[in-house]
Amino acid sequence: MITTLEFKKQIAKPFGVQMRKYGYKGTGLEYRRDIGDCLTSIYIEPSQWGGKCTVGFAIHPKAITKNYNGQLNLEKLKIYDFEFKMSLIESSQELWWNYSEDEFTNLATLNDIIVSIERKCFPVFEQFLEKPTILDTFKLSEMADFHENWTKKTGVSIAMTDSQFAWAMILYFENKNPAKAKQFAKWLISLFDSNDYGWYSEDILRVLTKN
């Protein structure tokens, strides 16, 4: 069977050519783009077991400048530190493409991947760019079934918990809409049985005590 390294050699250059047409920069199978208020990333991720790959995409609002490890360097943000990471399908399972021994078939697979990126990733990115953004219009009442409501709006699944999303919304709204930031902070508090909110505590208390 063809190795991941061989598969990557066959598709990396044409993948890069296509991504640069869209304004993305990067190398190998990882590309990113600064689109104003957000950073975006698209990447092909080989299976750790070999034989197949999947595609992920991520977006990070610049208003979110920290995570559980502390302050983020947005100019050198790693993909795993992007706040909103998503897959191409509605379920939490991933969509996989198999490697082939034939290079022509692998290039056809890459074309299929690019079509999927155009159909799934770019429309979601647009939802973060339009005014109001998808975050601006996400209602507190929709947190009751966060994952289902996110998928209804975007057509894709998101790799984060409802508590992580609420925390991100606190930071996103802290300066642009303090009242909404407080709403998400109170909702996040409601998930805990004690006054210990873990690593969320600092941001929850800061937002709730602001005038």
Side-chain angles (χ1 to χ4, degrees):
M1 177 184 293
I2 187 173
T3 66
T4 293
L5 181 59
E6 291 170 322
F7 179 77
K8 182 176 178 180
K9 286 181 178 179
Q10 291 176 4
I11 70 165
K13 185 174 181 180
F15 180 58
V17 169
Q18 191 63 44
M19 294 308 297
R20 281 187 281 274
K21 287 182 180 179
Y22 298 135
Y24 282 76
K25 298 178 180 179
T27 58
L29 302 181
E30 296 183 2
Y31 284 80
R32 61 191 66 206
R33 183 184 178 191
D34 185 327
I35 53 173
D37 292 334
C38 294
L39 303 171
T40 64
S41 178
I42 299 172
Y43 50 94
I44 297 175
E45 184 176 4
S47 167
Q48 62 176 323
W49 309 112
K52 59 184 180 179
C53 66
T54 188
V55 174
F57 67 105
I59 190 160
H60 190 94
K62 293 179 182 177
I64 300 175
T65 59
K66 61 179 293 188
N67 64 11
Y68 66 93
N69 271 329
Q71 292 299 122
L72 295 170
N73 183 347
L74 297 184
E75 293 183 1
K76 298 180 179 180
L77 196 66
K78 302 294 185 183
I79 288 176
Y80 55 76
D81 282 327
F82 275 63
E83 193 59 41
F84 302 101
K85 292 180 281 291
M86 288 159 274
S87 65
L88 296 180
I89 56 177
E90 296 183 4
S91 71
S92 58
Q93 297 180 348
E94 294 173 307
L95 179 62
W96 294 95
W97 285 267
N98 292 322
Y99 303 165
S100 170
E101 297 290 342
D102 176 54
E103 182 173 357
F104 180 81
T105 302
N106 287 329
L107 293 176
T109 294
L110 174 62
N111 184 68
D112 187 38
I113 287 173
I114 290 170
V115 170
S116 296
I117 288 170
E118 293 171 339
R119 291 177 177 174
K120 290 292 187 175
C121 302
F122 293 161
V124 177
F125 290 160
E126 286 299 320
Q127 289 180 289
F128 276 84
L129 289 175
E130 61 191 11
K131 304 298 182 183
T133 72
I134 186 173
L135 299 183
D136 295 327
T137 59
F138 202 94
K139 300 176 182 177
L140 193 67
S141 60
E142 293 175 303
M143 293 300 295
D145 201 340
F146 162 62
H147 287 99
E148 181 177 342
N149 287 321
W150 182 267
T151 299
K152 284 180 180 178
K153 290 173 179 290
T154 63
V156 300
S157 61
I158 188 167
M160 66 192 314
T161 65
D162 54 0
S163 61
Q164 288 174 309
F165 182 80
W167 170 82
M169 294 291 265
I170 292 170
L171 269 63
Y172 175 76
F173 284 117
E174 182 173 2
N175 294 317
K176 68 181 300 184
N177 190 336
K180 197 162 186 178
K182 289 183 179 181
Q183 290 176 359
F184 277 95
K186 291 177 181 177
W187 184 91
L188 184 53
I189 284 177
S190 72
L191 301 181
F192 293 86
D193 295 326
S194 69
N195 292 328
D196 181 5
Y197 313 128
W199 64 270
Y200 301 127
S201 294
E202 178 184 343
D203 300 306
I204 288 174
L205 297 176
R206 183 184 66 255
V207 166
L208 290 180
T209 55
K210 276 188 175 181
N211 294 326

